[in-house]
Amino acid sequence: LFSYDVCVGLVRAVGSTGYDLPDKQQEYFAGSSFVEPVSKKIAAAMSQPLVPASTERMAEYMCKAVMRSYIEGISNVERCSASGRALMLVDFRSLEDALQKSTGMRVIPDAEKVEDYIKAYYLNEAELANWVATNCRKHKLSLKQVLALGEVGAGRFLKAIEKSRL
């Protein structure tokens, strides 16, 4: 029901989402490509008859896997406008809401980690360097995920040599 393939599909879907939108573009359907399939898989897994403690543990595991996959997907985005960064957060909220409905959990594990990561895309170079120093280990981010913040986030307008310093 809920497997590694769900997470791989989420990483691909998020990574290929067009977050490089013109800043004035209003047409966008939040989460249209990935929220519904993920929430359906989780709802199907949650409907299996299990001991309540096992169901809670399974929901926690699935939510953490989805959150890790979402961060990985975002780190695969190659270009992102200011409007696109806002849409990342809208998509995340849609996904978080769907997980809450599917699992019955009020607080989704690792959701704060995803929100922090998305908000890091808004930081300038100095703020991002401080954020990475403070949060990289705390959130267990991979080098690729940290580099994506520099490439697509704060470093998006920098020249190659300036990006390497960042």
Side-chain angles (χ1 to χ4, degrees):
L1 294 172
F2 183 83
S3 66
Y4 175 75
D5 295 337
V6 174
C7 292
V8 169
L10 178 62
V11 169
R12 286 187 186 133
V14 173
S16 65
T17 299
Y19 288 118
D20 189 25
L21 302 171
D23 287 337
K24 296 185 185 216
Q25 183 172 341
Q26 296 297 317
E27 291 182 34
Y28 181 78
F29 298 101
S32 59
S33 65
F34 55 83
V35 172
E36 188 177 339
V38 170
S39 64
K40 283 183 178 180
K41 290 282 188 179
I42 288 177
M46 293 299 294
S47 68
Q48 299 300 308
L50 295 172
V51 177
S54 296
T55 302
E56 290 172 18
R57 184 72 177 133
M58 182 175 67
E60 181 181 341
Y61 167 78
M62 288 187 295
C63 288
K64 284 183 175 185
V66 168
M67 293 295 113
R68 281 191 307 268
S69 299
Y70 193 74
I71 287 177
E72 185 63 25
I74 290 171
S75 72
N76 290 336
V77 172
E78 294 179 8
R79 287 182 294 172
C80 186
S81 65
S83 295
R85 287 188 296 283
L87 292 172
M88 281 181 183
L89 199 51
V90 170
D91 282 348
F92 167 66
R93 292 287 181 232
S94 298
L95 181 60
E96 184 180 31
D97 185 52
L99 290 174
Q100 287 171 334
K101 289 176 183 170
S102 298
T103 64
M105 299 176 84
R106 293 181 65 210
V107 178
I108 300 301
D110 290 346
E112 183 181 328
K113 174 179 169 176
V114 176
E115 185 175 356
D116 284 351
Y117 185 79
I118 294 170
K119 288 180 178 179
Y121 276 90
Y122 288 97
L123 303 175
N124 65 35
E125 301 97 68
E127 293 169 331
L128 181 59
N130 289 335
W131 186 90
V132 168
T134 305
N135 294 289
C136 187
R137 285 199 174 127
K138 172 182 160 187
H139 293 320
K140 298 177 182 169
L141 298 174
S142 70
L143 178 60
K144 177 182 165 264
Q145 292 165 345
V146 173
L147 290 175
L149 289 171
E151 288 288 323
V152 181
R156 66 191 170 278
F157 300 118
L158 301 177
K159 294 178 182 173
I161 195 151
E162 294 169 325
K163 283 183 184 182
S164 68
R165 275 189 252 137
L166 177 64

